[in-house]
Amino acid sequence: GGGAPGMEYVMGIKGKDFAMACVSATAVQQIITMKHDEDKVMRVDDHRMLVTSGEPGDRVQFGEFVCANVRLRNMRHGVKTSTKAVASYARQELAKALRQGPYQSNLLVMGYDEGKGPSMYYLDYLATMHEMNVAGYGYGSWFVLSMYDNLWHPDLTQDEALGLMQKGIDEVRRRLSVAPSSYMITVVDKDGIRHLKTLEYGS
Amino acid sequence: GEAMSIQTYNGAAIIAMSGQECVAIASDLRFGVQNQTLACDHKKVYRMHDRLYMGLSGLATDAQTLYKRFVFKHNLYRLREERDMRPQTFASMVSATLYEKRFGPYFVEPVIAGLDPEEGHAPFIAGMDSLGAMETAKDFMCAGTNSESLLGVCETFYRPGLGPEELFEVISQCMLSGVDRDALAGWGAVVYVISKDQCIARTLKGRMD
């Protein structure tokens, strides 16, 4: 078996003209932390990313599966598949697999579309999809979602969002007994996908 | 979390009511996973065509999958028949689609509301369980995690022959009161009132707890 559900920390925020994700960067097997710098963000194309969490094998396999098929479609048709279409496609594949061999992976599909702006889609392992401004997975989200409900506003800037992410991490580290020890923050906006910060704590 | 009960994993409340040459269908707006609420703008009523709407309670992923399947089927029907489906026909199709999965069902309970173009736009209301066992009603139909509380309040406030505005008031009050007794549904509601020549959608502000 792999990742215990809930132990990973994933939070996503959609701001005025960007979408930002903060994900725990630990790769854990049973009681061992194998890695402190696991990047759980998969780049579909320059302006779309999948933030993946859950069972490690499924997480990577499904993420790569979606990325590969979307890129193939982009090549075949000479288009850039929109964020919503990427999310819908991923949802369909999860739904097909649900009653056969489900992927135990929760995702946030985030992207920036020209003309439309940023968007973020919650997509859980059951293939439930919903567009949201603030979303997350795991035990950490129990603490942080309500905090962000209070602090979020539609004109959030990247600096403000970064501050929110830091507040979220601080809260989780203070109150969640199984809080992860490292985190990666990534943002997508009109200029593309950028890794902003990796935060490693001693314990 | 606790042991997963599929029918109460997400939470929903759906009511459909019939009036004088109109029907109304309403759902709550909560999107949650067991006891955690994730969003309050998740509609559970879907438009099939201008005079046919369907509410889907139960497991949200199956509701989304089924909605897409029914859009697909209805689109093909329209291409072949060059007309929209009658509500009765659509309800039969929903029932058959659910029964196809008799030994591995979709975990949804549909409620269908529409106006029949062949009977002078007469109101049509139907509901079914997750296996497709269908019943029609002349007055109202309820589904959801606490459908008993919805039935009780509808039984009390419903009157036959309501016009669109009165029907909207009645169904709204029933929805808002009904979900207050359900921890897994509520957080606002959306109401569609469908008449022969228009459909008005309204969002209700309710208790956000």
Side-chain angles (χ1 to χ4, degrees):
Chain A
M7 305 300 193
E8 278 173 301
Y9 179 78
V10 180
M11 286 304 302
I13 298 178
K14 186 183 91 167
K16 190 166 139 195
D17 50 9
F18 67 92
M20 193 181 288
C22 175
V23 202
S24 55
T26 46
V28 176
Q29 294 274 30
Q30 309 289 359
I31 56 166
I32 304 169
T33 304
M34 308 285 275
K35 230 182 153 217
H36 288 101
D37 56 355
E38 175 85 345
D39 188 1
K40 295 173 189 166
V41 172
M42 300 203 165
R43 286 143 179 80
V44 183
D45 65 28
D46 290 336
H47 290 90
R48 269 134 223 118
M49 59 190 196
L50 301 179
V51 181
T52 57
S53 68
E55 173 81 36
D58 288 346
R59 180 179 83 65
V60 172
Q61 291 285 59
F62 182 70
E64 288 181 354
F65 177 60
V66 171
C67 287
N69 278 293
V70 172
R71 285 182 201 142
L72 178 60
R73 179 181 187 266
N74 290 353
M75 275 185 234
R76 274 185 176 148
H77 302 289
V79 294
K80 282 191 175 188
T81 306
S82 70
T83 312
K84 184 169 187 183
V86 171
S88 288
Y89 171 67
R91 196 209 89 83
Q92 183 181 60
E93 293 296 341
L94 285 170
K96 266 195 250 174
L98 182 60
R99 282 170 163 85
Q100 279 165 339
Y103 293 103
Q104 283 165 54
S105 176
N106 298 313
L107 297 95
L108 294 176
V109 182
M110 304 166 99
Y112 186 92
D113 300 290
E114 217 177 286
K116 188 183 174 201
S119 49
M120 176 170 71
Y121 295 87
Y122 167 104
L123 180 53
D124 71 13
Y125 75 105
L126 295 172
T128 320
M129 188 171 105
H130 194 58
E131 186 176 3
M132 299 196 207
N133 297 323
V134 173
Y137 295 103
Y139 292 134
S141 71
W142 291 28
F143 297 89
V144 174
L145 277 174
S146 41
M147 186 202 298
Y148 286 1
D149 281 343
N150 233 296
L151 299 170
W152 186 88
H153 59 86
D155 296 319
L156 214 62
T157 63
Q158 285 197 32
D159 283 338
E160 285 176 317
L162 207 50
L164 252 58
M165 291 305 192
Q166 187 64 59
K167 278 194 161 89
I169 293 171
D170 290 343
E171 181 60 22
V172 156
R173 290 196 49 73
R174 186 161 167 72
R175 290 297 184 183
L176 183 58
S177 57
V178 291
S181 57
S182 56
Y183 303 81
M184 276 191 180
I185 303 179
T186 314
V187 72
V188 58
D189 61 16
K190 67 174 179 13
D191 300 322
I193 301 173
R194 277 185 323 283
H195 168 255
L196 290 178
K197 262 190 189 187
T198 302
L199 295 155
E200 269 193 57
Y201 296 86
S203 55
Chain B
E2 328 79 70
M4 174 165 150
S5 163
I6 291 177
Q7 286 286 7
T8 60
Y9 188 74
N10 292 122
I14 319 264
I15 305 176
M17 267 190 190
S18 75
Q20 187 68 29
E21 291 172 354
C22 59
V23 285
I25 182 164
S27 84
D28 73 313
L29 290 174
R30 179 180 179 268
F31 172 52
V33 168
Q34 292 183 315
N35 59 352
Q36 189 184 28
T37 299
L38 294 169
C40 38
D41 57 357
H42 189 246
K43 295 180 195 161
K44 297 155 191 90
V45 175
Y46 301 92
R47 175 191 171 277
M48 302 314 302
H49 63 72
D50 283 343
R51 296 188 188 96
L52 178 57
Y53 284 71
M54 172 175 66
L56 287 168
S57 72
L59 196 61
T61 174
D62 282 352
Q64 288 175 346
T65 300
L66 274 175
Y67 167 62
K68 289 181 182 233
R69 285 193 70 192
F70 291 133
V71 166
F72 176 80
K73 291 186 174 203
H74 186 247
N75 283 346
L76 283 177
Y77 182 93
R78 283 188 55 173
L79 285 169
R80 286 195 304 268
E81 301 267 331
E82 293 178 7
R83 63 189 174 103
D84 286 329
M85 254 192 202
R86 293 175 70 190
Q88 295 81 332
T89 317
F90 180 74
S92 289
M93 183 186 76
V94 171
S95 171
T97 306
L98 291 177
Y99 196 75
E100 267 177 3
K101 305 281 186 196
R102 168 63 178 84
F103 299 108
Y106 290 110
F107 301 106
V108 297
E109 284 182 356
V111 171
I112 291 151
L115 299 174
D116 185 4
E118 285 181 31
E119 294 291 330
H121 298 292
F124 176 87
I125 304 248
M128 59 195 85
D129 66 7
S130 56
L131 299 181
M134 182 169 79
E135 281 300 333
T136 55
K138 287 198 158 52
D139 43 16
F140 52 83
M141 202 45 93
C142 303
T145 31
N146 199 359
S147 51
E148 294 88 351
S149 68
L150 299 170
L151 283 168
V153 79
C154 286
E155 201 71 68
T156 309
F157 293 128
Y158 178 80
R159 298 191 316 274
L162 293 166
E165 294 305 314
E166 293 174 297
L167 189 62
F168 164 70
E169 287 299 331
V170 170
I171 198 176
S172 301
Q173 291 302 327
C174 290
M175 177 59 77
L176 289 176
S177 311
V179 299
D180 280 348
R181 288 289 185 178
D182 184 358
L184 299 175
W187 294 74
V190 65
V191 183
Y192 295 83
V193 181
I194 306 137
S195 326
K196 186 168 59 123
D197 47 10
Q198 62 181 355
C199 171
I200 304 181
R202 296 180 182 88
T203 306
L204 306 178
K205 280 188 181 172
R207 289 180 62 108
M208 303 293 273
D209 61 2

